[in-house]
Amino acid sequence: MSKKILLSGVKPTGRPHIGNYFGAMKQFVDLQDEYECYIFIADLHALTTLHDPKELASNVIDVATDYLAIGLDPEKVILFKQSDVPEVTELSWIFNTLTTMPYLERAHAYKDAMAKGREVNVGTFDYPILMAADILIQDADMVPVGQDQKQHVEYARDTAEKFNRTYGKIFKLPEVLIEKNVAVVPGTDGEKMSKSHDNTIPLFADPDKIQKIVMSIVTDSVSDIPKNVYAIHRLFKDEKSLTALYEENRGKYKILKEALFNDIVDFVSPLGARRAELAAKPEKLLEVLKIGGSKARERAARKMESVRKLVGLSIYS
Ligand code: ADP
Ligand code: TRP
């Protein structure tokens, strides 16, 4: 029996933190044996907010390097850059002609941007439709995403249904996959770890930097257990040894923070070393992306041929 198809995109913005790792990145690595995986770097989506060409290009390379460093295996996973499959923009145009304005006006991301008084570009408004094209063009069965992207996968399902009703059944209805066990990883202040809260512990940083950050964790304590330190420590140590450690060192915040620092470093050092190796051979990385891009494009191009026929755009054959 052939494997189900899993597809997901990652926007190339900013450096990853341990919240991103445990909340999202690691999932792809965990699922790579079970599914036929298509993971791409959403550079076309990034254009809705990023207009610095150098920054965009280097972010794409950074993200690809990060994912290979954490264990995504290019022999198992098709890793590619969204813009290497230009067919998605053609498909999203066709979807646009089936999509109404009020329907897109209900999208959370668009509503939030409007509520903040931002000037919203057409790309941001149409973001869910490009995402629907990404998903549907590859016949994805499963789309693992964070809670914030759930509505977008529902938009992809609705769009598939609309197209299928209008022109004939050609698109699969994708399922959203939200990892239930992933709790929100707290940051150094106890709030959700997030780039926008400035409370992150980076996944790739040298030990000095990590030490400074760990030592700065806010130590609100409950019966002499520093709860923010503990909450982060849980990700790196099993429950039993963690309980023993915190029992033994009640009230000794410095010792507990040092223990956390050591456990983080033990965990991230091998990832960082692998990242450095990959970054030293950029031509290899580009080759991985190129090969991934051509495989993904081949599939997409086949699907587009059928779409064009159904829509009435193919007149020569
Ligand atoms: P940030 O909030 O730092 O900007 P993003 O919004 O770019 O992070 O999130 C990228 C992915 O990482 C998403 O799938 C999101 O659900 C996940 N993620 C981000 N922060 C956390 C966190 N603190 N705990 C668990 N998952 C997270
Ligand atoms: N919008 C997603 C995010 O911001 C990235 C993305 C683009 C995506 N296309 C996708 C995710 C298709 C899953 C499937 O995280």
Side-chain angles (χ1 to χ4, degrees):
M1 218 179 77
S2 61
K3 288 181 179 175
K4 287 199 166 180
I5 296 173
L6 177 146
L7 173 136
S8 196
V10 186
K11 253 201 301 185
T13 44
R15 307 297 304 124
H17 51 71
I18 63 169
N20 298 140
Y21 176 77
F22 288 102
M25 299 170 77
K26 181 177 171 289
Q27 253 195 94
F28 300 153
V29 179
D30 295 342
L31 294 167
Q32 65 184 341
D33 289 311
E34 195 181 332
Y35 293 94
E36 180 179 335
C37 290
Y38 291 78
I39 306 292
F40 65 92
I41 301 154
D43 54 352
L44 296 174
H45 276 112
L47 282 176
T48 60
T49 53
L50 179 57
H51 296 148
D52 177 329
K54 281 208 182 99
E55 193 180 333
L56 178 62
S58 74
N59 284 358
V60 168
I61 290 171
D62 273 344
V63 173
T65 313
D66 295 343
Y67 273 88
L68 294 180
I70 63 159
L72 216 62
D73 179 351
E75 299 288 322
K76 295 178 184 162
V77 171
I78 297 184
L79 179 67
F80 64 105
K81 154 167 103 57
Q82 185 182 30
S83 58
D84 282 347
V85 183
E87 285 78 5
V88 292
T89 57
E90 182 183 353
L91 183 58
S92 69
W93 176 259
I94 294 172
F95 288 163
N96 277 338
T97 64
L98 293 169
T99 307
T100 67
M101 300 274 289
Y103 175 73
L104 282 183
E105 280 163 6
R106 288 199 290 275
H108 301 317
Y110 168 72
K111 284 205 296 199
D112 289 352
M114 289 300 278
K116 285 184 185 137
R118 296 218 184 106
E119 198 171 56
V120 175
N121 60 44
V122 177
T124 299
F125 184 62
D126 203 31
Y127 189 111
I129 297 303
L130 179 59
M131 192 161 152
D134 291 330
I135 297 170
L136 301 178
I137 208 164
Q138 302 291 0
D139 285 322
D141 296 290
M142 285 293 170
V143 184
V145 285
Q147 189 65 36
D148 59 324
Q149 295 295 315
K150 186 167 173 244
Q151 189 194 37
H152 287 153
V153 182
E154 283 157 8
Y155 270 50
R157 286 175 68 91
D158 289 349
T159 305
E161 280 183 321
K162 192 146 196 189
F163 186 99
N164 289 349
R165 266 200 316 274
T166 310
Y167 290 112
K169 200 165 176 308
I170 183 173
F171 290 116
K172 268 190 207 169
L173 301 191
E175 302 279 340
V176 67
L177 184 69
I178 292 183
E179 182 57 82
K180 293 279 184 311
N181 298 326
V182 179
V184 170
V185 176
T188 51
D189 55 359
E191 298 298 311
K192 175 187 186 249
M193 186 177 291
S194 170
K195 285 189 284 286
S196 47
H197 298 161
D198 204 17
N199 62 356
T200 64
I201 301 176
L203 185 63
F204 299 109
D206 57 45
D208 286 352
K209 172 111 196 259
I210 294 177
Q211 187 168 31
K212 252 196 211 126
I213 296 175
V214 170
M215 292 303 166
S216 78
I217 295 175
V218 177
T219 39
D220 291 347
S221 61
V222 178
S223 2
D224 284 345
I225 304 278
K227 63 179 184 346
N228 298 337
V229 182
Y230 186 92
I232 298 172
H233 216 155
R234 283 185 55 219
L235 302 164
F236 298 94
K237 224 181 182 66
D238 66 81
E239 195 77 38
K240 216 172 139 201
S241 15
L242 197 64
T243 313
L245 177 73
Y246 280 71
E247 275 304 319
E248 237 168 74
N249 293 289
R250 271 181 186 277
K252 298 179 189 158
Y253 302 150
K254 185 149 183 281
I255 290 178
L256 290 170
K257 282 182 174 178
E258 266 157 13
L260 171 60
F261 162 67
N262 287 327
D263 286 338
I264 295 179
V265 169
D266 284 350
F267 184 83
V268 300
S269 291
L271 306 185
R274 199 144 72 219
R275 194 184 194 289
E277 264 172 44
L278 291 159
K281 294 191 194 111
E283 64 294 341
K284 247 185 148 168
L285 178 94
L286 295 180
E287 196 57 25
V288 167
L289 286 180
K290 263 193 210 161
I291 293 171
S294 73
K295 285 185 184 159
R297 186 171 189 190
E298 217 176 278
R299 253 183 92 88
R302 260 185 277 132
K303 191 79 183 181
M304 259 333 277
E305 266 310 302
S306 318
V307 171
R308 287 188 204 108
K309 283 202 182 101
L310 279 179
V311 173
L313 294 170
S314 277
I315 61 166
Y316 304 121
S317 51

